[in-house]
């Protein structure tokens, strides 16, 4: 997968899948810094739509769980996720993520309002 990154042009939206897959591999290995790097790269090519919603949650929750947490960035990303995914018709697809986002933001002293 890393070799595929060498063939992609900057901003290539097809890299979203590779970046998110690598982030999951790094997560399983406990390599948080590398996971964050891949999620940030995924965010840069996510565009609008479902990919953006997913990366807002993934990156926001990862920032929140860092030691020390990146609170302001985490809250901002999780607010963006909440606004796009936790209201209206989409809310039923993201029940667990919406609850986790709410809990993380509250634990960091923030609000989703």
């Amino acid at each position: 997968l890393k070799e595929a990154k060498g063939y992609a042009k900057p901003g290539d939206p097809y890299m979203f899948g590779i970046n998110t897959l690598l982030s999951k591999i790094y997560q399983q290995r406990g390599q948080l810094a590398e996971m964050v790097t891949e999620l940030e790269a995924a965010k840069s090519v996510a565009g609008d739509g479902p990919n953006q919603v997913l990366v807002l949650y993934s990156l926001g929750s990862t920032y929140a769980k860092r030691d020390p947490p990146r609170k302001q960035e985490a809250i901002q990303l999780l607010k963006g996720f909440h606004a796009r995914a936790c209201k209206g018709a989409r809310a039923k697809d993201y029940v667990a993520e919406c609850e986790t986002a709410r809990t993380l933001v509250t634990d960091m002293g923030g609000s989703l309002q």
Side-chain angles (χ1 to χ4, degrees):
L1 290 173
K2 280 189 169 187
E3 289 78 20
K5 292 171 83 171
Y7 295 105
K9 295 178 183 171
D12 186 339
Y14 292 106
M15 287 303 298
F16 181 83
I18 292 172
N19 294 129
T20 54
L21 182 57
L22 282 170
S23 76
K24 290 175 184 178
I25 291 168
Y26 288 131
Q27 180 182 24
Q28 289 177 344
R29 292 180 177 177
Q31 295 174 275
L32 192 59
E34 291 84 355
M35 179 184 170
V36 167
T37 299
E38 292 302 329
L39 288 172
E40 289 170 342
K43 183 178 180 288
S44 74
V45 297
D48 292 330
N51 288 345
Q52 183 186 52
V53 171
L54 292 173
V55 79
L56 288 173
Y57 174 77
S58 296
L59 188 55
S61 61
T62 301
Y63 282 166
K65 294 174 185 174
R66 287 193 65 153
D67 187 23
R70 291 169 64 173
K71 290 182 182 183
Q72 289 306 111
E73 294 164 292
I75 290 170
Q76 193 69 20
L77 290 167
L78 292 169
K79 278 184 174 183
F81 165 77
H82 189 268
R84 289 167 181 82
C86 300
K87 299 175 183 174
R90 284 185 161 182
K92 67 180 176 358
D93 297 329
Y94 297 102
V95 173
E97 292 87 349
C98 292
E99 183 57 36
T100 299
R102 189 174 302 111
T103 300
L104 288 171
V105 169
T106 300
D107 289 350
M108 290 184 289
S111 169
L112 292 173
Q113 305 310 322

